[in-house]
Amino acid sequence: MTDVLAIAEHRRGTLRDVSYELITAGRELAEETDGELHLAVIGGHLEEFTRLLSKEGVDVIHAVSNGEEFNHDVYTQIAEGLVEEIDPGVVLVPNSVNGLDYGPALANRLGRPLVSDVTDASFDGEALSTTREMYGSKVETTVEVDAERTVVMIRGGEWPSADDSGDPEIRERDASIDESAVRSTVRAFEEVGGGDVDIADAEVLVSVGRGIDEEENLELVEELADALDATLSASRPIVDSGWLEKNRQVGQSGKTVTPKIYIAIGISGAVQHVAGMKGSETIIAINTDPNAPIFDIADYGIVEDLFDVVPALIEEFER
Ligand SMILES: Cc1cc2nc3c(=O)[nH]c(=O)nc-3n(C[C@H](O)[C@H](O)[C@H](O)COP(=O)(O)OP(=O)(O)OC[C@H]3O[C@@H](n4cnc5c(N)ncnc54)[C@H](O)[C@@H]3O)c2cc1C
């Protein structure tokens, strides 16, 4: 029997999607060994968060009141205290900016091995087996953890979100913090890359690549995004050219997205791009090159000039 403790994530008053994905991952691991799934949520709007996180398969939610926003020292201390109390075999942390900030420190304090950026995890008998990608997502590796107690950081967008409601036990608690060990404070919040669009939340993404040729042509794909009520995203060269903000970039060094529909327009499908969008439910690609790698993963492919196809689509959707 291995209990699992998953640590939810929130930002600026909203739970991040990865919190629900952690529940699915944690539930699978706990079920495999007949263990319990504990969930911790630290700070923020605890009443609302515990209600939203009350999903089937969650046994206990630890709602720890402490501040509004993430703080490295506070999260590390609180998580360490919870682990010492619950003694879970696996601690699940999001492989997010915040998670990468405190996850390794937590593992270090607990003296546990850490497996980061995990895309799959299961128990192979007693041993925990995890999947990671290497060499720019070209290779998938299996890492078997040679320890009974581990910290595992999971990549967002790899597990489906838990959405079936449940009735976990809620344990409310005030954090007992050693203030002398808190050496950082969050004084302000600034979104890097400008804008408050989160492409990871979009259900439909119209994504544009170098095939668009010139910045002024972006207007065309923006029109298509408007006609579809979709969000605009891009491959890296578009962002590197300064044509769109960094928060629109899909891929290994951008965001991982899992929309219902992903329309790749003039995007070749390089591994670093595909790493960020392969989890999309339906992929539609428009590209003049029939051998473009994007067609290997597309559900529907249009081998045509985007400057012919996109206006035709806009006309059709505006009808
Ligand atoms: C460490 C590292 C990290 C990276 N991270 C990312 C990342 O996060 N995201 C990312 O996207 N890339 C990333 N890259 C870059 C990546 O390797 C590719 O260079 C990039 O994805 C290519 O973008 P693209 O498909 O838009 O351009 P291209 O590869 O140039 O493809 C353009 C495509 O448009 C098609 N085309 C041209 N004209 C038309 C037309 N008129 N109509 C239809 N199709 C047309 C072409 O056939 C071609 O397939 C990274 C690279 C490195 C080394």
Side-chain angles (χ1 to χ4, degrees):
M1 192 186 90
T2 304
D3 292 341
V4 176
L5 169 67
I7 304 173
E9 181 164 313
H10 56 89
R11 195 170 75 190
R12 308 185 88 185
T14 308
L15 278 174
R16 312 278 290 158
D17 285 350
V18 70
S19 303
Y20 303 105
E21 295 159 14
L22 282 169
I23 294 177
T24 307
R27 192 163 60 187
E28 284 173 12
L29 290 172
E31 271 171 11
E32 279 174 0
T33 67
D34 268 340
E36 287 196 332
L37 173 59
H38 292 246
L39 197 62
V41 56
I42 302 170
H45 308 158
L46 286 181
E47 210 179 305
E48 180 195 349
F49 292 166
T50 47
R51 180 175 51 76
L52 291 169
L53 292 168
S54 291
K55 302 293 184 197
E56 200 183 318
V58 180
D59 294 290
V60 183
I61 298 181
H62 302 266
V64 190
S65 68
N66 192 285
E68 288 299 308
E69 291 295 344
F70 171 75
N71 176 291
H72 169 92
D73 298 303
V74 169
Y75 264 59
T76 313
Q77 275 193 46
I78 292 174
E80 186 185 13
L82 286 170
V83 172
E84 277 166 358
E85 181 187 316
I86 303 161
D87 192 28
V90 181
V91 181
L92 291 181
V93 174
N95 201 77
S96 59
V97 173
N98 287 0
L100 285 163
D101 183 310
Y102 75 94
L106 176 65
N108 183 47
R109 287 170 77 132
L110 295 167
R112 293 183 174 208
L114 172 93
V115 197
S116 64
D117 205 16
V118 165
T119 56
D120 200 7
S122 62
F123 278 101
D124 187 3
E126 296 281 290
L128 178 66
S129 174
T130 61
T131 305
R132 301 182 80 245
E133 291 176 348
M134 293 176 77
Y135 307 119
S137 301
K138 283 198 180 85
V139 181
E140 228 176 45
T141 54
T142 305
V143 178
E144 225 172 71
V145 185
D146 187 17
E148 282 181 10
R149 301 221 157 338
T150 325
V151 176
V152 174
M153 305 192 60
I154 71 162
R155 187 189 285 187
E158 296 293 331
W159 278 264
S161 290
D163 57 5
D164 34 6
S165 58
D167 189 20
E169 178 194 341
I170 312 288
R171 291 189 201 159
E172 288 172 15
R173 51 177 79 212
D174 287 323
S176 125
I177 298 290
D178 172 6
E179 294 295 341
S180 66
V182 178
R183 287 157 300 174
S184 56
T185 12
V186 179
R187 304 180 66 163
F189 193 96
E190 197 176 326
E191 192 81 51
V192 177
D196 52 8
V197 174
D198 191 350
I199 57 171
D201 288 342
E203 293 218 325
V204 183
L205 278 174
V206 168
S207 210
V208 60
R210 193 146 44 189
I212 198 69
D213 212 23
E214 285 181 16
E215 185 176 10
E216 63 200 36
N217 295 332
L218 274 182
E219 224 175 273
L220 185 65
V221 279
E222 278 165 355
E223 250 182 80
L224 178 62
D226 281 349
L228 287 168
D229 204 13
T231 303
L232 190 65
S233 57
S235 66
R236 179 164 161 174
I238 301 297
V239 171
D240 284 351
S241 304
W243 298 352
L244 285 176
E245 304 276 16
K246 172 79 179 162
N247 61 345
R248 303 269 181 175
Q249 183 182 320
V250 173
Q252 185 190 311
S253 50
K255 286 203 172 172
T256 301
V257 296
T258 51
K260 288 208 163 81
I261 300 173
Y262 188 87
I263 308 180
I265 302 175
I267 292 177
S268 59
V271 283
Q272 295 88 353
H273 184 81
V274 169
M277 47 67 77
K278 63 181 189 306
S280 305
E281 228 171 277
T282 301
I283 299 168
I284 301 164
I286 304 167
N287 198 308
T288 41
D289 176 6
N291 296 315
I294 192 77
F295 289 127
D296 296 342
I297 57 156
D299 298 284
Y300 301 95
I302 304 170
V303 183
E304 286 286 349
D305 191 319
L306 71 91
F307 295 103
D308 294 329
V309 179
V310 175
L313 288 176
I314 294 168
E315 200 182 315
E316 199 58 37
F317 284 110
E318 279 184 343
R319 259 211 262 170

